[in-house]
């Protein structure tokens, strides 16, 4: 969908959200501040945008939808796998108590860390490392969002979820170049999963 302004993008995205907290956070985070300079004119399109380091910023409506699935209240501790530009972490941080985010590319992690600090986000910690193993030292988490595709949900991430905690993750569809976005809820040490929609993400390295 082609949208020509920040307001149009906000109206388009918020019309699909259930949680007002996510809508308000989405409006407060200007995507233009997170995209490479050469793509600034495309910041308010509802499309993914490539980053200089080979990663990308996901489609804004998808970022918001994934956060919306957590049903956040503002009190949660959230883990994000795949920091990229820091855009998703910024929105998350306005919907919960604290965010830990992990980026496997050290350069991307450092750039995102500086950007988020310069923009005044104080409840986000950017970590460089392999997100597939989670962040045991900071666990457990009330919610975990994975912004890269996996063949199956890593056991380490399930183990680091609180009872009743939620995970949103793209799971690879066999023999297809697409993934199923899955919502998982931890109940009595088991993950109850529900398919949400079809998506396309780069693989979790």
């Amino acid at each position: 969908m082609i949208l020509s302004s920040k307001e149009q993008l906000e109206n388009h995205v918020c019309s699909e959200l259930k949680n007002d907290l996510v809508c308000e956070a989405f409006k407060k985070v200007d995507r233009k501040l997170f995209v490479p300079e050469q793509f600034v004119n495309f910041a308010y399109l509802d499309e993914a945008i490539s980053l200089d380091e080979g990663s990308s910023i996901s489609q804004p409506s998808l970022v918001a939808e994934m956060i919306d699935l957590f049903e956040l209240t503002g009190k949660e501790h959230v883990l994000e796998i795949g920091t990229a530009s820091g855009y998703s972490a910024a929105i998350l941080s306005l919907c919960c108590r604290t965010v830990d985010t992990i980026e496997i590319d050290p350069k991307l992690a450092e750039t995102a860390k500086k950007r988020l600090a310069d923009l005044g986000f104080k409840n986000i910690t950017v970590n460089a490392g392999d997100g597939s193993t989670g962040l045991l030292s900071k666990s457990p988490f009330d919610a975990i969002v994975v912004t890269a595709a996996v063949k199956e949900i890593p056991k380490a991430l399930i183990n680091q979820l609180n009872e009743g905690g939620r995970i949103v993750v793209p799971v690879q569809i066999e023999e297809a170049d697409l993934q199923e976005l899955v919502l998982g809820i931890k109940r009595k040490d088991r993950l109850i999963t529900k398919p949400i929609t079809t998506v396309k993400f780069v693989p979790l390295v």
Side-chain angles (χ1 to χ4, degrees):
M1 182 174 183
I2 298 177
L3 302 155
S4 59
S5 72
K6 184 173 184 289
E7 183 179 6
Q8 284 184 314
L9 177 63
E10 290 168 354
N11 290 338
H12 166 63
V13 170
C14 285
S15 68
E16 301 295 325
L17 301 177
K18 296 177 180 177
N19 190 340
D20 290 342
L21 193 62
V22 181
C23 174
E24 291 307 309
F26 185 83
K27 289 178 179 180
K28 289 176 182 176
V29 179
D30 191 343
R31 192 172 187 239
K32 186 162 66 174
L33 301 176
F34 292 83
V35 303
E37 187 175 349
Q38 66 268 34
F39 296 129
V40 163
N41 290 339
F42 303 100
Y44 303 133
L45 298 183
D46 193 21
E47 299 174 359
I49 292 178
S50 296
L51 296 176
D52 296 334
E53 292 79 5
S55 183
S56 65
I57 305 176
S58 296
Q59 184 179 348
S61 59
L62 181 56
V63 171
E65 179 184 7
M66 292 171 76
I67 296 172
D68 200 46
L69 289 168
F70 290 132
E71 299 182 3
L72 298 170
T73 65
K75 300 176 181 179
E76 295 83 3
H77 181 198
V78 179
L79 175 64
E80 177 191 47
I81 310 299
T83 313
S85 69
Y87 175 64
S88 177
I91 297 172
L92 269 170
S93 75
L94 300 178
C95 302
C96 65
R97 178 173 51 86
T98 52
V99 176
D100 270 284
T101 179
I102 306 175
E103 173 55 54
I104 197 166
D105 185 320
K107 183 179 177 183
L108 268 179
E110 190 58 37
T111 301
K113 181 178 181 179
K114 184 179 186 305
R115 177 184 293 116
L116 291 165
D118 289 347
L119 292 173
F121 292 96
K122 300 184 184 302
N123 61 338
I124 304 173
T125 302
V126 179
N127 305 271
D130 179 4
S132 66
T133 62
L135 199 62
L136 186 61
S137 63
K138 297 286 192 72
S139 65
F141 300 95
D142 301 302
I144 298 176
V145 60
V146 183
T147 62
V150 299
K151 292 182 179 178
E152 59 182 25
I153 302 175
K155 184 81 170 168
L157 300 185
I158 300 172
N159 291 341
Q160 291 173 35
L161 266 182
N162 266 325
E163 172 67 16
R166 295 181 169 223
I167 184 169
V168 174
V169 53
V171 179
Q172 189 65 46
I173 299 171
E174 287 189 21
E175 299 180 4
D177 193 27
L178 294 170
Q179 301 91 38
E180 189 87 70
L181 186 66
V182 172
L183 166 64
I185 303 177
K186 192 172 182 178
R187 302 288 189 200
K188 297 180 180 179
D189 289 328
R190 293 184 59 204
L191 199 66
I192 311 302
T193 61
K194 174 185 176 182
I196 302 298
T197 188
T198 303
V199 293
K200 187 170 184 178
F201 282 87
V202 297
L204 182 66
V205 179

